[in-house]
Amino acid sequence: MPDLLQGGNDIETDIGGTNIEFDFEFKSIAPRIAISAQDMAAGDYYNISGKSAAGFTIEFFNASNTSISRIFDYVAKGYGKLIT
């Protein structure tokens, strides 16, 4: 079964985090996720949580550890497509 890719471009996050749902659920438990953030200031960072075959949650923070809104792109690479 081949690896499959899913992705999204120019997604603006909410303060407090944003849940990203994949177009289809991967057969693998946790796909690999690559993030490309835009307009980051010095000290900004992000946290990915709740990663699963169906999606993930991402939240951006500034240098003061305050949740902020940012725009990002992502690519998720996983094993196969779950068929139900």
Side-chain angles (χ1 to χ4, degrees), residues 59-76:
E59 185 174 5
F60 285 84
F61 298 90
N62 63 19
S64 300
N65 299 318
T66 301
S67 183
I68 56 175
S69 177
R70 286 290 181 259
I71 296 173
F72 75 102
D73 305 332
Y74 79 90
V75 174

Side-chain angles (χ1 to χ4, degrees), residues 47-59:
N47 183 56
I48 294 176
S49 62
K51 186 168 78 167
S52 73
F56 64 96
T57 299
I58 186 167
E59 185 174 5

Side-chain angles (χ1 to χ4, degrees), residues 13-82:
T13 61
D14 297 322
I15 293 173
T18 298
N19 184 45
I20 303 298
E21 293 182 16
F22 300 135
D23 292 335
F24 60 83
E25 190 169 339
F26 287 102
K27 186 172 178 85
S28 60
I29 295 172
R32 293 168 301 280
I33 298 172
I35 302 292
S36 178
Q38 303 169 24
D39 299 323
M40 297 284 276
D44 287 357
Y45 65 98
Y46 62 87
N47 183 56
I48 294 176
S49 62
K51 186 168 78 167
S52 73
F56 64 96
T57 299
I58 186 167
E59 185 174 5
F60 285 84
F61 298 90
N62 63 19
S64 300
N65 299 318
T66 301
S67 183
I68 56 175
S69 177
R70 286 290 181 259
I71 296 173
F72 75 102
D73 305 332
Y74 79 90
V75 174
K77 180 180 179 182
Y79 182 74
K81 182 177 180 180
L82 184 65

